[in-house]
Each structure stands twice: as structure tokens, then as C-alpha cells.
Amino acid sequence: MSPNPANPSTTIMYTLPGEAHVKLVVYSVTGQKVATLADNIMPAGKHAAVFDGSSLASGLYLYRFEAKNYKKTGKIMLVK
């Protein structure tokens, strides 16, 4: 997963080894939820989620990916 930078959208790629409930949420640096890209059960395999920041201000955003026991937080630099 490496979506940095975004202009004004980016695709977050991820691979699941088995079926899992996936939650992928984007937050502003102040902690406000700005987008939910996934919140459902996904099958094993490669997946892509598109973050469209065209309605948001330029700046740094954080994404939180959760699937089973795996959690990751990453950065997205939105540049317009």
C-alpha cells in the first residue's frame, strides 16, 4: 500500500491472503473522518480503493487500513 501523493485522487492497492472484513478510512490531520473507502467483507486477492480528494483542501491526510489482525496507518499528500 503506497498511495502518496494524490493529485486529486489516488489508488490504494492491497492484497488479502484470505477473506476478511476490511475497513479503510481516510482522516484529516485533525482526526476528522473525510472518506470511508471500504467497510465490508472482501475475498482473498488483490484489491484497489480509489480516494478522490477533489472536494478537499490540499494538505496531509491519513488513512487507516484494518483487516483481521492487521492494522496500518499511512499518509496521503493531497496536492492540487
Side-chain angles (χ1 to χ4, degrees), residues 17-66:
E19 183 179 85
H21 182 264
V22 172
K23 189 167 186 180
L24 180 54
V25 181
V26 180
Y27 298 92
S28 68
V29 291
T30 60
Q32 178 183 5
K33 184 190 315 184
V34 297
T36 300
L37 305 180
D39 189 6
N40 52 350
I41 296 174
M42 304 288 287
K46 294 182 180 184
H47 301 277
V50 176
F51 169 62
D52 180 5
S54 60
S55 65
L56 301 171
S58 294
L60 182 65
Y61 292 85
L62 304 172
Y63 68 87
R64 179 77 174 162
F65 176 86
E66 298 177 19

